[in-house]
């Protein structure tokens, strides 16, 4: 993670913003996973505003932030069922 690299809080956010913007520009999709651990993740109160800013950046670029449960429900609604294919192909 960026926090493990021993960069400043601001630099970690800058790196995440760059990655998020690049993913959205290329794929139109980005999956952000936040680890709750305080040492290597976002489990500190000071980091919560950063998450809000990242979500705001995604929205400003046309993305619609969703929780995994919300996305799964959308797939169920349109009839796309999970598969048991675990081959990775």
């Amino acid at each position: 993670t960026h926090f493990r690299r021993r960069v400043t809080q601001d630099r970690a956010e800058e790196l995440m913003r760059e990655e998020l913007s690049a993913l959205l520009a290329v794929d139109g999709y980005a999956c952000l996973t936040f680890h709750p651990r305080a040492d290597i993740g976002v489990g500190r109160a000071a980091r919560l505003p950063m998450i809000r800013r990242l979500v705001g950046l995604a929205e400003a670029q046309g993305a619609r932030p969703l929780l995994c449960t919300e996305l799964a429900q959308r797939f169920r609604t349109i009839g796309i069922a999970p598969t048991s294919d675990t081959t990775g192909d």
Side-chain angles (χ1 to χ4, degrees), residues 2 12-32 53-63:
H2 296 302
E13 182 175 353
E14 182 182 332
L15 290 167
M16 286 191 244
R17 291 175 65 84
E18 289 174 8
E19 289 180 15
L20 177 60
S21 292
L23 286 169
L24 290 172
V26 172
D27 297 328
Y29 165 83
C31 180
L32 301 178
R53 289 189 295 271
L54 288 171
V55 169
L57 173 65
E59 289 174 325
Q61 294 184 14

Side-chain angles (χ1 to χ4, degrees), residues 80-87:
I80 299 176
T83 65
S84 61
D85 180 16
T86 58
T87 62

Side-chain angles (χ1 to χ4, degrees), residues 2-58:
H2 296 302
F3 297 112
R4 182 173 275 173
R5 293 184 191 175
R6 303 280 186 227
V7 297
T8 65
Q9 187 86 359
D10 290 339
R11 181 66 179 135
E13 182 175 353
E14 182 182 332
L15 290 167
M16 286 191 244
R17 291 175 65 84
E18 289 174 8
E19 289 180 15
L20 177 60
S21 292
L23 286 169
L24 290 172
V26 172
D27 297 328
Y29 165 83
C31 180
L32 301 178
T33 303
F34 298 108
H35 198 290
R37 280 183 48 181
D39 57 343
I40 64 167
V42 295
R44 295 183 183 176
R47 294 179 180 160
L48 294 176
M50 178 189 62
I51 294 172
R52 289 188 187 105
R53 289 189 295 271
L54 288 171
V55 169
L57 173 65

Side-chain angles (χ1 to χ4, degrees), residues 66-80:
L66 296 171
L67 297 174
C68 291
T69 55
E70 294 170 315
L71 187 58
Q73 183 58 42
R74 286 176 177 225
F75 278 102
R76 283 189 212 104
T77 300
I78 61 174
I80 299 176

